[in-house]
Amino acid sequence: MKPKQPIIIGTSSCLLGKKVRYDGGHKQHHYITDQLSGSFCFIPVCPEVESGLPIPREAMHLSGNPASPRLITVKTGHDLTQQMLECCQRRIKELEQLQLRGFILKKNSPSCGLFRVKIYQDKGPPLTSGQGLFAQALTDAFPLLPVEEEGRLSDARLRENFIERVYSYDRLLTFLAAKPAKADLIQFHTLHKLLIMAHSPDHYRQLGKLVASTIALQELLPAYTKLFMAALQLLATPAKQANVLMHCQGYFKKQLTPWEKQELLGLIERYRIGQLPLIVPITLLNHYTSRFHETYLSEQLYFSPHPDELMLRNHV
């Protein structure tokens, strides 16, 4: 059997410990370099250096119209916008060939910041509604690509959501590359049903209707792809997770003793109110799935959406 290629993730170079920042330093993020490096192949990107700027260099910030901000050096006032935009377009074309499954960006950067980047004005305080020029180009070019800032990875739920999306996106693109038939789409959807439900029951219903429709496959697949990734971008809250866990519990209502049923229900409730991590009820459900040979649940990707060694569900 041909070994699976490593999942390729783009990331801001400074997060990998590369000394590319304006002051000659780096912003190594140890969760990325120490924990995720065993699961992903990282492609470093520093649009500022790749645009021809030196190390070290004058600090820069975004300025002007929030819809089309300019990249301006702080002290000398040089406008580097066009230089940066040309670099972004070149880099995007290169990244298109790499089959990226995700991207982790440096927060607050005028080139890489994804959320709330400052945009300075002639008068008054800076706006905090901006996005770095490279981040904007990246999300425009790859609207379905899972993208996150490194600062948000410290939030266990956002971290789990991002990595789950990366693995789901990888499965989706691998599935689409195999030129699937309608029957293959039905199977793909079936395997992801509980996972989708945990993120958005509404998207789950919409996707089910889409798969059951008579829309031509060449139109159906793009529509399914977009809706599938939109569903997973919504956070799987404890309340939604608990509903899925209760749904799974229903598969064993005839096999479990009253005590076992009460134990499982108790663990689900304790998870819902924040007393236990998700891995606890999941582990017991996995045990019953194996014990009672429950085929449907054993095939559900809800129970293994990412590698167990990342231990993401130990913290949500």
Side-chain angles (χ1 to χ4, degrees):
M1 183 177 179
K2 184 178 179 181
K4 181 174 174 57
Q5 295 297 314
I7 291 180
I8 299 175
I9 300 291
T11 186
S12 297
S13 299
C14 60
L15 299 177
L16 298 177
K18 297 182 181 295
K19 297 181 179 181
V20 295
R21 285 176 59 79
Y22 75 96
D23 58 0
H26 64 78
K27 286 290 184 178
Q28 182 175 3
H29 192 285
H30 286 281
Y31 181 75
I32 296 173
T33 58
D34 300 347
Q35 302 297 320
L36 297 184
S37 59
S39 301
F40 302 134
C41 174
F42 289 111
I43 302 298
V45 176
C46 179
E48 295 175 18
V49 172
E50 293 171 23
S51 71
L53 298 176
I55 307 170
R57 57 189 173 273
E58 186 179 348
M60 301 172 288
H61 63 216
L62 296 179
S63 178
N65 184 353
S68 56
R70 311 300 295 179
L71 182 65
I72 308 295
T73 57
V74 174
K75 291 183 178 180
T76 59
H78 289 158
D79 190 330
L80 301 174
T81 309
Q82 191 58 36
Q83 181 177 344
M84 176 59 67
L85 292 177
E86 290 175 358
C87 172
C88 290
Q89 292 308 311
R90 289 196 305 271
R91 200 62 169 105
I92 291 298
K93 289 181 180 179
E94 295 169 355
L95 294 174
E96 287 174 347
Q97 310 302 315
L98 297 180
Q99 297 182 324
L100 290 179
R101 282 4 188 192
F103 215 107
I104 303 173
L105 292 163
K106 179 70 188 79
K107 69 174 182 178
N108 299 330
S109 164
S111 58
C112 289
L114 187 62
F115 305 110
R116 299 180 61 80
V117 177
K118 291 182 179 179
I119 304 179
Y120 288 79
Q121 306 297 300
D122 291 337
K123 296 181 180 180
L127 304 176
T128 56
S129 57
Q131 191 172 50
L133 297 187
F134 175 74
Q136 181 70 63
L138 179 74
T139 53
D140 286 347
F142 307 107
L144 301 182
L145 183 73
V147 181
E148 190 54 274
E149 285 187 338
E150 101 287 356
R152 285 161 52 94
L153 294 179
S154 60
D155 183 303
R157 196 170 296 164
L158 293 176
R159 180 172 64 241
E160 199 265 347
N161 176 264
F162 170 67
I163 295 174
E164 183 182 285
R165 283 189 290 137
V166 167
Y167 279 95
S168 298
Y169 190 53
D170 178 61
R171 289 191 299 271
L172 177 63
L173 293 189
T174 301
F175 163 74
L176 294 173
K179 298 181 180 179
K182 179 66 176 288
D184 300 316
L185 176 61
I186 293 172
Q187 181 183 30
F188 179 90
H189 179 67
T190 299
L191 296 178
H192 287 86
K193 276 187 175 182
L194 297 183
L195 188 65
I196 299 166
M197 190 187 300
H199 287 268
S200 173
D202 183 55
H203 282 73
Y204 167 74
R205 288 187 289 270
Q206 291 181 53
L207 284 163
K209 291 179 181 178
L210 194 59
V211 171
S213 72
T214 57
I215 299 173
L217 191 61
Q218 62 267 28
E219 298 177 18
L220 179 56
L221 289 175
Y224 184 90
T225 296
K226 183 177 180 180
L227 194 57
F228 177 80
M229 293 307 299
L232 297 185
Q233 194 160 7
L234 299 173
L235 286 180
T237 63
K240 289 186 284 188
Q241 295 275 25
N243 285 338
V244 172
L245 296 171
M246 290 291 293
H247 178 78
C248 295
Q249 183 268 345
Y251 282 83
F252 306 109
K253 59 184 178 181
K254 294 183 179 180
Q255 293 98 327
L256 298 182
T257 66
W259 183 89
E260 289 172 327
K261 186 180 296 184
Q262 192 60 41
E263 179 192 34
L264 178 54
L265 291 173
L267 293 180
I268 293 172
E269 176 60 17
R270 290 181 64 192
Y271 159 71
R272 189 188 66 80
I273 63 177
Q275 293 182 352
L276 293 174
L278 179 58
I279 191 63
V280 175
I282 286 285
T283 299
L284 187 54
L285 281 168
N286 272 326
H287 167 70
Y288 288 143
T289 296
S290 176
R291 174 181 165 188
F292 297 115
H293 308 288
E294 178 48 62
T295 303
Y296 176 79
L297 291 184
S298 69
E299 294 176 344
Q300 284 294 307
L301 285 159
Y302 173 75
F303 291 99
S304 56
H306 35 60
D308 292 342
E309 55 266 25
L310 292 176
M311 297 187 295
L312 296 168
R313 286 177 162 176
N314 294 44
H315 307 286
V316 297

mmCIF file with all atom_site columns, all heavy atoms in Angstrom, residues 217-233:
data_model
loop_
_atom_site.group_PDB
_atom_site.id
_atom_site.type_symbol
_atom_site.label_atom_id
_atom_site.label_alt_id
_atom_site.label_comp_id
_atom_site.label_asym_id
_atom_site.label_entity_id
_atom_site.label_seq_id
_atom_site.pdbx_PDB_ins_code
_atom_site.Cartn_x
_atom_site.Cartn_y
_atom_site.Cartn_z
_atom_site.occupancy
_atom_site.B_iso_or_equiv
_atom_site.pdbx_formal_charge
_atom_site.auth_seq_id
_atom_site.auth_comp_id
_atom_site.auth_asym_id
_atom_site.auth_atom_id
_atom_site.pdbx_PDB_model_num
ATOM 1   N N   . LEU A 1 217 ? -24.154 15.953 -10.819 1.00 0.00 ? 217 LEU A N   1
ATOM 2   C CA  . LEU A 1 217 ? -22.991 15.772 -9.959  1.00 0.00 ? 217 LEU A CA  1
ATOM 3   C C   . LEU A 1 217 ? -21.979 16.907 -10.106 1.00 0.00 ? 217 LEU A C   1
ATOM 4   O O   . LEU A 1 217 ? -21.372 17.332 -9.112  1.00 0.00 ? 217 LEU A O   1
ATOM 5   C CB  . LEU A 1 217 ? -22.323 14.426 -10.260 1.00 0.00 ? 217 LEU A CB  1
ATOM 6   C CG  . LEU A 1 217 ? -21.250 13.966 -9.271  1.00 0.00 ? 217 LEU A CG  1
ATOM 7   C CD1 . LEU A 1 217 ? -21.844 13.788 -7.879  1.00 0.00 ? 217 LEU A CD1 1
ATOM 8   C CD2 . LEU A 1 217 ? -20.608 12.659 -9.745  1.00 0.00 ? 217 LEU A CD2 1
ATOM 9   N N   . GLN A 1 218 ? -21.796 17.415 -11.321 1.00 0.00 ? 218 GLN A N   1
ATOM 10  C CA  . GLN A 1 218 ? -20.817 18.487 -11.528 1.00 0.00 ? 218 GLN A CA  1
ATOM 11  C C   . GLN A 1 218 ? -21.221 19.779 -10.814 1.00 0.00 ? 218 GLN A C   1
ATOM 12  O O   . GLN A 1 218 ? -20.368 20.626 -10.526 1.00 0.00 ? 218 GLN A O   1
ATOM 13  C CB  . GLN A 1 218 ? -20.593 18.758 -13.015 1.00 0.00 ? 218 GLN A CB  1
ATOM 14  C CG  . GLN A 1 218 ? -21.806 19.222 -13.788 1.00 0.00 ? 218 GLN A CG  1
ATOM 15  C CD  . GLN A 1 218 ? -22.553 18.069 -14.436 1.00 0.00 ? 218 GLN A CD  1
ATOM 16  O OE1 . GLN A 1 218 ? -22.517 16.941 -13.929 1.00 0.00 ? 218 GLN A OE1 1
ATOM 17  N NE2 . GLN A 1 218 ? -23.207 18.327 -15.556 1.00 0.00 ? 218 GLN A NE2 1
ATOM 18  N N   . GLU A 1 219 ? -22.495 19.940 -10.506 1.00 0.00 ? 219 GLU A N   1
ATOM 19  C CA  . GLU A 1 219 ? -22.963 21.076 -9.716  1.00 0.00 ? 219 GLU A CA  1
ATOM 20  C C   . GLU A 1 219 ? -23.061 20.711 -8.236  1.00 0.00 ? 219 GLU A C   1
ATOM 21  O O   . GLU A 1 219 ? -22.856 21.556 -7.356  1.00 0.00 ? 219 GLU A O   1
ATOM 22  C CB  . GLU A 1 219 ? -24.336 21.532 -10.203 1.00 0.00 ? 219 GLU A CB  1
ATOM 23  C CG  . GLU A 1 219 ? -24.360 22.029 -11.646 1.00 0.00 ? 219 GLU A CG  1
ATOM 24  C CD  . GLU A 1 219 ? -25.759 22.402 -12.093 1.00 0.00 ? 219 GLU A CD  1
ATOM 25  O OE1 . GLU A 1 219 ? -26.626 22.603 -11.213 1.00 0.00 ? 219 GLU A OE1 1
ATOM 26  O OE2 . GLU A 1 219 ? -25.990 22.482 -13.307 1.00 0.00 ? 219 GLU A OE2 1
ATOM 27  N N   . LEU A 1 220 ? -23.361 19.458 -7.985  1.00 0.00 ? 220 LEU A N   1
ATOM 28  C CA  . LEU A 1 220 ? -23.565 18.996 -6.619  1.00 0.00 ? 220 LEU A CA  1
ATOM 29  C C   . LEU A 1 220 ? -22.276 19.016 -5.805  1.00 0.00 ? 220 LEU A C   1
ATOM 30  O O   . LEU A 1 220 ? -22.259 19.472 -4.656  1.00 0.00 ? 220 LEU A O   1
ATOM 31  C CB  . LEU A 1 220 ? -24.142 17.583 -6.652  1.00 0.00 ? 220 LEU A CB  1
ATOM 32  C CG  . LEU A 1 220 ? -24.404 16.885 -5.315  1.00 0.00 ? 220 LEU A CG  1
ATOM 33  C CD1 . LEU A 1 220 ? -25.325 17.723 -4.441  1.00 0.00 ? 220 LEU A CD1 1
ATOM 34  C CD2 . LEU A 1 220 ? -24.989 15.500 -5.551  1.00 0.00 ? 220 LEU A CD2 1
ATOM 35  N N   . LEU A 1 221 ? -21.177 18.559 -6.398  1.00 0.00 ? 221 LEU A N   1
ATOM 36  C CA  . LEU A 1 221 ? -19.920 18.461 -5.653  1.00 0.00 ? 221 LEU A CA  1
ATOM 37  C C   . LEU A 1 221 ? -19.404 19.819 -5.180  1.00 0.00 ? 221 LEU A C   1
ATOM 38  O O   . LEU A 1 221 ? -19.031 19.958 -4.006  1.00 0.00 ? 221 LEU A O   1
ATOM 39  C CB  . LEU A 1 221 ? -18.861 17.736 -6.481  1.00 0.00 ? 221 LEU A CB  1
ATOM 40  C CG  . LEU A 1 221 ? -19.085 16.230 -6.667  1.00 0.00 ? 221 LEU A CG  1
ATOM 41  C CD1 . LEU A 1 221 ? -18.053 15.640 -7.609  1.00 0.00 ? 221 LEU A CD1 1
ATOM 42  C CD2 . LEU A 1 221 ? -19.051 15.507 -5.329  1.00 0.00 ? 221 LEU A CD2 1
ATOM 43  N N   . PRO A 1 222 ? -19.367 20.859 -6.022  1.00 0.00 ? 222 PRO A N   1
ATOM 44  C CA  . PRO A 1 222 ? -18.925 22.171 -5.518  1.00 0.00 ? 222 PRO A CA  1
ATOM 45  C C   . PRO A 1 222 ? -19.835 22.724 -4.422  1.00 0.00 ? 222 PRO A C   1
ATOM 46  O O   . PRO A 1 222 ? -19.366 23.324 -3.455  1.00 0.00 ? 222 PRO A O   1
ATOM 47  C CB  . PRO A 1 222 ? -18.949 23.053 -6.763  1.00 0.00 ? 222 PRO A CB  1
ATOM 48  C CG  . PRO A 1 222 ? -18.823 22.116 -7.911  1.00 0.00 ? 222 PRO A CG  1
ATOM 49  C CD  . PRO A 1 222 ? -19.541 20.878 -7.488  1.00 0.00 ? 222 PRO A CD  1
ATOM 50  N N   . ALA A 1 223 ? -21.133 22.518 -4.582  1.00 0.00 ? 223 ALA A N   1
ATOM 51  C CA  . ALA A 1 223 ? -22.078 23.013 -3.576  1.00 0.00 ? 223 ALA A CA  1
ATOM 52  C C   . ALA A 1 223 ? -21.881 22.270 -2.251  1.00 0.00 ? 223 ALA A C   1
ATOM 53  O O   . ALA A 1 223 ? -21.908 22.883 -1.171  1.00 0.00 ? 223 ALA A O   1
ATOM 54  C CB  . ALA A 1 223 ? -23.507 22.831 -4.077  1.00 0.00 ? 223 ALA A CB  1
ATOM 55  N N   . TYR A 1 224 ? -21.683 20.963 -2.330  1.00 0.00 ? 224 TYR A N   1
ATOM 56  C CA  . TYR A 1 224 ? -21.455 20.166 -1.114  1.00 0.00 ? 224 TYR A CA  1
ATOM 57  C C   . TYR A 1 224 ? -20.154 20.589 -0.438  1.00 0.00 ? 224 TYR A C   1
ATOM 58  O O   . TYR A 1 224 ? -20.098 20.758 0.789   1.00 0.00 ? 224 TYR A O   1
ATOM 59  C CB  . TYR A 1 224 ? -21.402 18.677 -1.460  1.00 0.00 ? 224 TYR A CB  1
ATOM 60  C CG  . TYR A 1 224 ? -21.263 17.800 -0.236  1.00 0.00 ? 224 TYR A CG  1
ATOM 61  C CD1 . TYR A 1 224 ? -22.389 17.324 0.422   1.00 0.00 ? 224 TYR A CD1 1
ATOM 62  C CD2 . TYR A 1 224 ? -20.011 17.483 0.282   1.00 0.00 ? 224 TYR A CD2 1
ATOM 63  C CE1 . TYR A 1 224 ? -22.274 16.542 1.568   1.00 0.00 ? 224 TYR A CE1 1
ATOM 64  C CE2 . TYR A 1 224 ? -19.878 16.719 1.432   1.00 0.00 ? 224 TYR A CE2 1
ATOM 65  C CZ  . TYR A 1 224 ? -21.014 16.250 2.070   1.00 0.00 ? 224 TYR A CZ  1
ATOM 66  O OH  . TYR A 1 224 ? -20.891 15.497 3.217   1.00 0.00 ? 224 TYR A OH  1
ATOM 67  N N   . THR A 1 225 ? -19.109 20.771 -1.233  1.00 0.00 ? 225 THR A N   1
ATOM 68  C CA  . THR A 1 225 ? -17.801 21.151 -0.703  1.00 0.00 ? 225 THR A CA  1
ATOM 69  C C   . THR A 1 225 ? -17.878 22.443 0.098   1.00 0.00 ? 225 THR A C   1
ATOM 70  O O   . THR A 1 225 ? -17.371 22.535 1.224   1.00 0.00 ? 225 THR A O   1
ATOM 71  C CB  . THR A 1 225 ? -16.793 21.310 -1.859  1.00 0.00 ? 225 THR A CB  1
ATOM 72  O OG1 . THR A 1 225 ? -16.614 20.040 -2.500  1.00 0.00 ? 225 THR A OG1 1
ATOM 73  C CG2 . THR A 1 225 ? -15.459 21.831 -1.374  1.00 0.00 ? 225 THR A CG2 1
ATOM 74  N N   . LYS A 1 226 ? -18.514 23.443 -0.477  1.00 0.00 ? 226 LYS A N   1
ATOM 75  C CA  . LYS A 1 226 ? -18.618 24.755 0.181   1.00 0.00 ? 226 LYS A CA  1
ATOM 76  C C   . LYS A 1 226 ? -19.423 24.660 1.474   1.00 0.00 ? 226 LYS A C   1
ATOM 77  O O   . LYS A 1 226 ? -19.019 25.205 2.517   1.00 0.00 ? 226 LYS A O   1
ATOM 78  C CB  . LYS A 1 226 ? -19.262 25.745 -0.779  1.00 0.00 ? 226 LYS A CB  1
ATOM 79  C CG  . LYS A 1 226 ? -19.353 27.160 -0.239  1.00 0.00 ? 226 LYS A CG  1
ATOM 80  C CD  . LYS A 1 226 ? -19.943 28.100 -1.295  1.00 0.00 ? 226 LYS A CD  1
ATOM 81  C CE  . LYS A 1 226 ? -20.029 29.528 -0.762  1.00 0.00 ? 226 LYS A CE  1
ATOM 82  N NZ  . LYS A 1 226 ? -20.594 30.451 -1.786  1.00 0.00 ? 226 LYS A NZ  1
ATOM 83  N N   . LEU A 1 227 ? -20.543 23.952 1.440   1.00 0.00 ? 227 LEU A N   1
ATOM 84  C CA  . LEU A 1 227 ? -21.400 23.839 2.616   1.00 0.00 ? 227 LEU A CA  1
ATOM 85  C C   . LEU A 1 227 ? -20.751 22.975 3.695   1.00 0.00 ? 227 LEU A C   1
ATOM 86  O O   . LEU A 1 227 ? -20.886 23.254 4.895   1.00 0.00 ? 227 LEU A O   1
ATOM 87  C CB  . LEU A 1 227 ? -22.752 23.257 2.204   1.00 0.00 ? 227 LEU A CB  1
ATOM 88  C CG  . LEU A 1 227 ? -23.904 23.362 3.205   1.00 0.00 ? 227 LEU A CG  1
ATOM 89  C CD1 . LEU A 1 227 ? -24.160 24.814 3.589   1.00 0.00 ? 227 LEU A CD1 1
ATOM 90  C CD2 . LEU A 1 227 ? -25.171 22.737 2.616   1.00 0.00 ? 227 LEU A CD2 1
ATOM 91  N N   . PHE A 1 228 ? -20.033 21.953 3.293   1.00 0.00 ? 228 PHE A N   1
ATOM 92  C CA  . PHE A 1 228 ? -19.333 21.059 4.227   1.00 0.00 ? 228 PHE A CA  1
ATOM 93  C C   . PHE A 1 228 ? -18.309 21.837 5.045   1.00 0.00 ? 228 PHE A C   1
ATOM 94  O O   . PHE A 1 228 ? -18.262 21.753 6.276   1.00 0.00 ? 228 PHE A O   1
ATOM 95  C CB  . PHE A 1 228 ? -18.662 19.938 3.439   1.00 0.00 ? 228 PHE A CB  1
ATOM 96  C CG  . PHE A 1 228 ? -17.837 18.984 4.264   1.00 0.00 ? 228 PHE A CG  1
ATOM 97  C CD1 . PHE A 1 228 ? -18.441 17.969 4.982   1.00 0.00 ? 228 PHE A CD1 1
ATOM 98  C CD2 . PHE A 1 228 ? -16.445 19.083 4.296   1.00 0.00 ? 228 PHE A CD2 1
ATOM 99  C CE1 . PHE A 1 228 ? -17.674 17.069 5.728   1.00 0.00 ? 228 PHE A CE1 1
ATOM 100 C CE2 . PHE A 1 228 ? -15.679 18.209 5.041   1.00 0.00 ? 228 PHE A CE2 1
ATOM 101 C CZ  . PHE A 1 228 ? -16.296 17.192 5.755   1.00 0.00 ? 228 PHE A CZ  1
ATOM 102 N N   . MET A 1 229 ? -17.473 22.632 4.364   1.00 0.00 ? 229 MET A N   1
ATOM 103 C CA  . MET A 1 229 ? -16.449 23.402 5.070   1.00 0.00 ? 229 MET A CA  1
ATOM 104 C C   . MET A 1 229 ? -17.062 24.522 5.899   1.00 0.00 ? 229 MET A C   1
ATOM 105 O O   . MET A 1 229 ? -16.554 24.861 6.973   1.00 0.00 ? 229 MET A O   1
ATOM 106 C CB  . MET A 1 229 ? -15.429 23.951 4.081   1.00 0.00 ? 229 MET A CB  1
ATOM 107 C CG  . MET A 1 229 ? -14.568 22.886 3.407   1.00 0.00 ? 229 MET A CG  1
ATOM 108 S SD  . MET A 1 229 ? -13.734 21.754 4.562   1.00 0.00 ? 229 MET A SD  1
ATOM 109 C CE  . MET A 1 229 ? -12.701 22.896 5.500   1.00 0.00 ? 229 MET A CE  1
ATOM 110 N N   . ALA A 1 230 ? -18.170 25.104 5.427   1.00 0.00 ? 230 ALA A N   1
ATOM 111 C CA  . ALA A 1 230 ? -18.853 26.136 6.206   1.00 0.00 ? 230 ALA A CA  1
ATOM 112 C C   . ALA A 1 230 ? -19.395 25.555 7.516   1.00 0.00 ? 230 ALA A C   1
ATOM 113 O O   . ALA A 1 230 ? -19.349 26.209 8.561   1.00 0.00 ? 230 ALA A O   1
ATOM 114 C CB  . ALA A 1 230 ? -19.989 26.747 5.391   1.00 0.00 ? 230 ALA A CB  1
ATOM 115 N N   . ALA A 1 231 ? -19.887 24.331 7.458   1.00 0.00 ? 231 ALA A N   1
ATOM 116 C CA  . ALA A 1 231 ? -20.403 23.679 8.660   1.00 0.00 ? 231 ALA A CA  1
ATOM 117 C C   . ALA A 1 231 ? -19.301 23.487 9.692   1.00 0.00 ? 231 ALA A C   1
ATOM 118 O O   . ALA A 1 231 ? -19.477 23.794 10.879  1.00 0.00 ? 231 ALA A O   1
ATOM 119 C CB  . ALA A 1 231 ? -21.021 22.328 8.295   1.00 0.00 ? 231 ALA A CB  1
ATOM 120 N N   . LEU A 1 232 ? -18.148 23.009 9.252   1.00 0.00 ? 232 LEU A N   1
ATOM 121 C CA  . LEU A 1 232 ? -17.071 22.696 10.184  1.00 0.00 ? 232 LEU A CA  1
ATOM 122 C C   . LEU A 1 232 ? -16.419 23.946 10.767  1.00 0.00 ? 232 LEU A C   1
ATOM 123 O O   . LEU A 1 232 ? -15.752 23.866 11.801  1.00 0.00 ? 232 LEU A O   1
ATOM 124 C CB  . LEU A 1 232 ? -16.012 21.833 9.490   1.00 0.00 ? 232 LEU A CB  1
ATOM 125 C CG  . LEU A 1 232 ? -16.498 20.458 9.013   1.00 0.00 ? 232 LEU A CG  1
ATOM 126 C CD1 . LEU A 1 232 ? -15.338 19.655 8.460   1.00 0.00 ? 232 LEU A CD1 1
ATOM 127 C CD2 . LEU A 1 232 ? -17.182 19.692 10.140  1.00 0.00 ? 232 LEU A CD2 1
ATOM 128 N N   . GLN A 1 233 ? -16.605 25.080 10.125  1.00 0.00 ? 233 GLN A N   1
ATOM 129 C CA  . GLN A 1 233 ? -16.038 26.316 10.656  1.00 0.00 ? 233 GLN A CA  1
ATOM 130 C C   . GLN A 1 233 ? -16.787 26.778 11.899  1.00 0.00 ? 233 GLN A C   1
ATOM 131 O O   . GLN A 1 233 ? -16.237 27.502 12.731  1.00 0.00 ? 233 GLN A O   1
ATOM 132 C CB  . GLN A 1 233 ? -16.051 27.418 9.590   1.00 0.00 ? 233 GLN A CB  1
ATOM 133 C CG  . GLN A 1 233 ? -15.197 28.610 9.953   1.00 0.00 ? 233 GLN A CG  1
ATOM 134 C CD  . GLN A 1 233 ? -14.829 29.444 8.757   1.00 0.00 ? 233 GLN A CD  1
ATOM 135 O OE1 . GLN A 1 233 ? -15.307 29.222 7.652   1.00 0.00 ? 233 GLN A OE1 1
ATOM 136 N NE2 . GLN A 1 233 ? -13.971 30.416 8.971   1.00 0.00 ? 233 GLN A NE2 1
#
